[in-house]
Amino acid sequence: MIVTKYIFFMEVVMGTVSCRNCNGSGRFYDRKSGKTFDCRACGGSGINRNLWSTNCERCRKEIVYKANTDRPRYCKECRNIELSKTCAQMGCNKTILYKIGWNNVSDYCGACRNKRDKGFKASICQGAFCNNLVWSPPGKSFSFCFECNEKKKKADAAKWKEKPCAGGCGNTIKYNTDWDHPPNFCKTCKERRLKRGHEPNQSENPRFHAACGERGAKLSLQEKSRFSNFFHGIPDRQKMKFEEIVKLAEEWKNNNGGGFRRSDKS
Ligand SMILES: [Zn+2]
Ligand SMILES: [Zn+2]
Ligand SMILES: [Zn+2]
Ligand SMILES: [Zn+2]
Ligand SMILES: [Zn+2]
């Protein structure tokens, strides 16, 4: 097919396609009669009116196509060349695969396009060392990506601890390690203590018991009950710290242990 004529339209080259029958000449020469006739197929024009010609925008190869149809931009080979680009959404690194011949290839990957169409707003995760993309639906504003959110939830859950109620009721107290003053008593014990009125020092008794026990002076039950009598006669005992009570209990044991043992027998 020979391009016989070029029509310049913008930068696109449009061409006509020559008639195959007469090779574009429009005529046939008859040797016998020595006459020439018009080609019947093209009516003597030498042009195939059913076909148009153009050039591939990439390789410039001629493309012949049906007249009065949309001009193809690429030849068959070029049309199927695969290309890729990165999603235009900030924070999204997805690759978009497409072919040269495709029209209207979106700059956004399917997931991002879907969110944008629904009016979601994009931001970057505020988690440490995290640059993940975060989508917030209309009217909301999320700061963390799913992974960082899960991490945060776990860390928050780990801050919740349990301990037994200091009232000796067997109840468990749930508290958060972020609290400056975690409670020592359960709700029931707290209410009971409030009804009874405050003791001079709420934590005096548990502190005394602890100071006599395994963590402290390791007094026997009998020693403890006698030391208790002694201890509860001290006017400033409410202000004594755990270590001070332990020290006092040890001194008491060292100085009076023998004598008290004797009195036990009576
Ligand atoms: Zn012809
Ligand atoms: Zn091409
Ligand atoms: Zn994307
Ligand atoms: Zn994150
Ligand atoms: Zn309790």
Side-chain angles (χ1 to χ4, degrees):
M1 273 150 260
I2 301 150
V3 178
T4 54
K5 212 175 172 185
Y6 286 106
I7 301 160
F8 288 92
F9 174 68
M10 307 222 337
E11 70 241 80
V12 173
V13 181
M14 305 278 283
T16 54
V17 177
S18 59
C19 172
R20 259 194 196 175
N21 255 12
C22 59
N23 260 331
S25 70
R27 277 154 214 290
F28 283 111
Y29 173 68
D30 184 45
R31 274 192 206 160
K32 267 190 190 169
S33 62
K35 286 180 181 169
T36 51
F37 304 93
D38 277 357
C39 168
R40 275 208 215 143
C42 60
S45 68
I47 294 164
N48 186 335
R49 303 260 178 217
N50 297 319
L51 298 173
W52 284 353
S53 162
T54 188
N55 290 85
C56 171
E57 282 181 21
R58 191 179 160 273
C59 71
R60 310 309 305 166
K61 198 170 108 183
E62 189 194 17
I63 309 166
V64 171
Y65 63 103
K66 231 178 133 203
N68 298 309
T69 60
D70 286 341
R71 187 187 73 86
R73 297 178 59 196
Y74 301 99
C75 70
K76 254 186 219 155
E77 289 76 40
C78 291
R79 203 155 58 212
N80 287 314
I81 289 175
E82 286 187 340
L83 293 179
S84 68
K85 58 181 175 181
T86 304
C87 175
Q89 175 58 56
M90 162 202 73
C92 178
N93 296 317
K94 272 192 201 130
T95 301
I96 301 162
L97 294 173
Y98 63 102
K99 288 180 177 176
I100 286 188
W102 292 5
N103 289 323
N104 305 319
V105 179
S106 172
D107 286 337
Y108 299 97
C109 73
C112 290
R113 212 163 52 233
N114 185 31
K115 296 286 185 193
R116 291 170 70 92
D117 287 350
K118 286 180 182 161
F120 279 54
K121 290 264 174 299
S123 63
I124 297 297
C125 174
Q126 285 168 25
F129 308 110
C130 182
N131 290 314
N132 280 350
L133 176 60
V134 179
W135 285 108
S136 301
K140 290 201 173 164
S141 181
F142 298 145
S143 306
F144 298 98
C145 70
F146 179 79
E147 288 85 358
C148 289
N149 220 21
E150 290 296 299
K151 258 190 247 165
K152 225 171 95 61
K153 267 195 226 160
K154 261 192 198 167
D156 284 348
K159 284 182 180 175
W160 285 97
K161 296 247 159 47
E162 291 185 352
K163 64 178 181 180
C165 168
C169 65
N171 281 345
T172 301
I173 298 171
K174 280 185 183 159
Y175 67 100
N176 194 297
T177 51
D178 278 350
W179 294 352
D180 286 338
H181 302 288
N184 291 315
F185 296 95
C186 73
K187 215 180 150 211
T188 319
C189 289
K190 204 173 168 184
E191 277 166 8
R192 203 175 55 218
R193 290 164 68 83
L194 279 172
K195 256 188 224 157
R196 243 189 2 208
H198 281 287
E199 285 188 357
N201 184 331
Q202 287 198 339
S203 55
E204 178 204 329
N205 272 330
R207 202 160 60 223
F208 170 77
H209 289 301
C212 296
E214 278 305 300
R215 286 202 297 127
K218 299 185 180 66
L219 300 186
S220 72
L221 276 180
Q222 286 183 337
E223 283 170 335
K224 185 176 160 184
S225 102
R226 285 196 314 276
F227 178 62
S228 171
N229 289 338
F230 169 69
F231 177 75
H232 285 94
I234 301 171
D236 272 343
R237 66 186 184 279
Q238 288 94 354
K239 288 177 190 158
M240 286 179 75
K241 288 178 186 151
F242 173 81
E243 293 82 2
E244 290 173 319
I245 303 173
V246 173
K247 210 178 152 199
L248 183 72
E250 281 167 348
E251 272 170 18
W252 174 88
K253 196 176 166 184
N254 291 337
N255 295 334
N256 303 300
F260 276 90
R261 223 177 276 135
R262 262 199 305 281
S263 71
D264 284 341
K265 286 171 187 164
S266 61

